[in-house]
Amino acid sequence: MTAAATVRLAFDGSGIDGSLFTSVTDFARDTKWLNAPMEVWTNLGLGVFAVLMVMGWWSARRRGTEAMTVALAAPVAVVTAFAAAEVVKKIVGEVRPCRSMPHAYLVDSCPAPSDYAFPSGHSTVAAATVAALFLLDRRLSAIAAVFALVEGFTRVYVGAHYPHDVLGSAVLALPVAYLTSLALRRWTAPLIAALSRGALRPLLTAEPGVATQPAR
């Protein structure tokens, strides 16, 4: 099947919130001075979520086995949510706005026809981090939530996704990441406790004598 045929058979999401999409991209047209920073942030900004998870791990070293288990579960939960999003992408097969609305102002380059739009992978990572950190540290989760909103906006601003792609990412990622973290906290805590007494102790717990606190 040719690429053109694939596009014709795929789902066109412009009828859902195409007008809202163009409102944002029109704003991008009017703020061309912001285009380059937004395009850089929309990709490199994902590093912020990795940093927040590292901060959660470092804090968990002083808070006991349960907190460390949740900290180590966070990246697994994010990857699980991302994998689920990729499956949904293939099932829905929504073409990118650059193909269904080619006359809109687009900052980002148009990806291959097989790179579908719904849900947004970037926003999935962002929302999943919020949920994964919620069981570990509510403050870090709140910070992640702010950056997740920014990330979601940038995906629409650069023309890579419709607003419903971003919203759908959150609807998918939040429960998947949360439940994954919850399950891993229950199932892998004994393993983390055992590893904390071995060679990996410096990575999993602070020095002896440091008081531990329950995970928040």
Side-chain angles (χ1 to χ4, degrees), residues 61-136:
R61 293 176 65 249
R62 293 170 171 79
R63 294 171 50 203
T65 298
E66 183 178 297
M68 178 53 68
T69 302
V70 176
L72 295 179
V76 178
V78 172
V79 171
T80 300
F82 183 80
E86 288 300 298
V87 172
V88 173
K89 272 192 177 187
K90 297 299 183 184
I91 295 174
V92 176
E94 179 190 78
V95 294
R96 293 276 183 165
C98 60
R99 299 187 185 282
S100 56
M101 302 187 71
H103 300 299
Y105 180 79
L106 304 172
V107 177
D108 206 12
S109 58
C110 195
S114 58
D115 187 353
Y116 297 121
F118 180 88
S120 163
H122 288 67
S123 296
T124 295
V125 170
T129 304
V130 174
L133 291 175
F134 186 78
L135 290 172
L136 176 65

Side-chain angles (χ1 to χ4, degrees), residues 42-75:
T42 198
N43 292 308
L44 298 185
L46 292 179
V48 171
F49 301 102
V51 170
L52 290 173
M53 285 188 280
V54 170
M55 291 173 63
W57 159 75
W58 185 257
S59 172
R61 293 176 65 249
R62 293 170 171 79
R63 294 171 50 203
T65 298
E66 183 178 297
M68 178 53 68
T69 302
V70 176
L72 295 179

Side-chain angles (χ1 to χ4, degrees), residues 112-191:
S114 58
D115 187 353
Y116 297 121
F118 180 88
S120 163
H122 288 67
S123 296
T124 295
V125 170
T129 304
V130 174
L133 291 175
F134 186 78
L135 290 172
L136 176 65
D137 190 312
R138 302 289 172 83
R139 289 170 295 184
L140 288 178
S141 180
I143 294 171
V146 173
F147 282 111
L149 291 174
V150 174
E151 181 65 28
F153 177 75
T154 65
R155 299 311 289 157
V156 182
Y157 180 95
V158 301
H161 289 282
Y162 295 108
H164 71 262
D165 298 334
V166 174
L167 179 60
S169 300
V171 172
L172 171 69
L174 290 173
V176 170
Y178 181 82
L179 292 175
T180 299
S181 293
L182 199 63
L184 289 175
R185 183 179 69 175
R186 177 177 301 177
W187 297 336
T188 63
L191 173 62

